């Protein structure tokens, strides 16, 4: 069983609806779950969004294709978004491309802007090959990785080793990540029972994993 990371360049017809203001107000959207209803001609989806909720709400109010939406805030810049909207022909075409026997999408689908989506798919190698042949000519595809499926979990914490997680948890409790910092690396190392060099390596490795997860996926 293989998985592949794809970056999909979307033509104008397949981009998320909205004005150019949406590009500046929507920094990142992780499409977590979706359901299409071809008979009703609608699609419902749940996303985790990083952006300006007030501006995005104003844009949604102006779009006839959106029937309803609801935002649940995580913090000032991050919120869950539930949306029910018309199933556009372009949306059906994009999602239908992945309807290949023996292939599944591994959520989330990550949008970084209106014109670019990052998708992980899982399946047999022949299903992967059929998928690439199904994309419309005006869709740009960049295959960033093809290998045996290696993701332990789609949660951020699942990308860390147990020792890395322990190091982050300890550093947080001791104030190492406070602004301004109230805990020292020496204190973290002492609590972990290791040298300062080892503690620093653990923290930097964990931070790198989380940064990669936040920016790339």
């Amino acid at each position: 069983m293989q998985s592949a990371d794809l970056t999909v360049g979307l033509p104008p017809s397949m981009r998320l609806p909205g004005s150019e203001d949406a590009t500046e107000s929507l920094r990142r959207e992780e499409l977590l779950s979706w359901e299409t209803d071809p008979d009703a001609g609608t699609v419902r989806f749940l996303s985790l969004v990083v952006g300006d909720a007030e501006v995005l709400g104003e844009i949604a109010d102006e779009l006839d294709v959106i029937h309803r939406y609801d935002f649940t805030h995580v913090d000032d810049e991050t919120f869950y978004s539930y949306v029910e909207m018309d199933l556009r022909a372009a949306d059906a075409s994009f999602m239908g491309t992945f309807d290949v026997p023996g292939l599944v999408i591994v959520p989330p689908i990550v949008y970084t802007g209106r014109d670019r989506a990052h998708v992980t798919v899982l399946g047999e190698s022949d299903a992967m090959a059929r998928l690439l042949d199904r994309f419309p000519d005006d869709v740009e595809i960049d295959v960033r990785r093809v290998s045996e499926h290696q993701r332990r979990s789609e949660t951020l914490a699942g990308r860390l080793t147990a020792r890395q997680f322990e190091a982050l948890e300890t550093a947080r409790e001791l104030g190492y990540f406070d602004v301004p910092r109230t805990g020292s690396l020496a204190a973290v190392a002492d609590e972990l029972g290791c040298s300062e060099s080892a503690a620093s390596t653990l923290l930097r490795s964990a931070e790198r994993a989380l940064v990669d997860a936040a920016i790339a996926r």
Side-chain angles (χ1 to χ4, degrees):
M1 190 71 66
Q2 291 186 323
S3 70
D5 292 335
L6 311 176
T7 295
V8 183
L10 302 173
S13 63
M14 290 186 177
R15 294 174 188 173
L16 297 172
S19 65
E20 290 303 318
D21 291 341
T23 303
E24 298 180 359
S25 302
L26 176 64
R27 303 212 315 266
R28 177 183 176 90
E29 177 177 7
E30 297 186 6
L31 184 56
L32 304 174
S33 181
W34 57 91
E35 178 188 24
T36 59
D37 187 342
D39 293 334
T42 60
V43 57
R44 294 178 288 272
F45 56 88
L46 176 68
S47 300
L48 181 63
V49 179
V50 179
D52 190 324
E54 182 177 354
V55 173
L56 292 172
E58 292 173 355
I59 293 172
D61 287 334
E62 297 174 355
L63 294 174
D64 293 336
V65 296
I66 294 182
H67 302 170
R68 60 169 296 197
Y69 68 90
D70 184 68
F71 295 162
T72 301
H73 285 268
V74 176
D75 55 38
D76 290 342
E77 296 185 340
T78 308
F79 57 95
Y80 286 97
S81 171
Y82 171 81
V83 177
E84 181 178 336
M85 61 180 284
D86 289 338
L87 178 62
R88 305 175 303 163
D91 299 327
S93 175
F94 177 66
M95 297 305 298
T97 301
F98 296 93
D99 190 15
V100 177
L103 189 78
V104 295
I105 296 175
V106 181
I109 296 177
V110 179
Y111 289 89
T112 50
R114 296 173 63 228
D115 63 345
R116 197 155 301 276
H118 308 276
V119 187
T120 295
V121 291
L122 174 68
E124 301 294 345
S125 57
D126 58 341
M128 298 281 188
R130 291 199 301 274
L131 169 66
L132 297 179
D133 290 338
R134 287 169 59 90
F135 280 102
D137 293 337
D138 57 352
V139 174
E140 299 178 4
I141 300 296
D142 178 18
V143 181
R144 299 169 49 227
R145 178 192 62 84
V146 177
S147 66
E148 294 300 312
H149 193 63
Q150 297 174 342
R151 295 189 188 277
R152 294 185 299 276
S153 171
E154 289 305 316
T155 64
L156 292 180
R159 297 171 184 264
L160 306 176
T161 66
R163 186 62 167 167
Q164 289 171 343
F165 188 89
E166 180 187 11
L168 285 180
E169 189 175 40
T170 298
R172 181 176 181 273
E173 291 175 352
L174 294 178
Y176 183 78
F177 295 118
D178 288 353
V179 181
R181 180 170 291 169
T182 60
S184 67
L185 180 62
V188 174
D190 184 63
E191 185 69 20
L192 292 173
C194 64
S195 67
E196 289 188 35
S197 175
S200 177
T201 298
L202 281 170
L203 291 173
R204 285 188 288 109
S205 297
E207 290 165 358
R208 173 61 186 269
L210 298 183
V211 168
D212 285 348
I215 294 177
R217 277 282 291 164

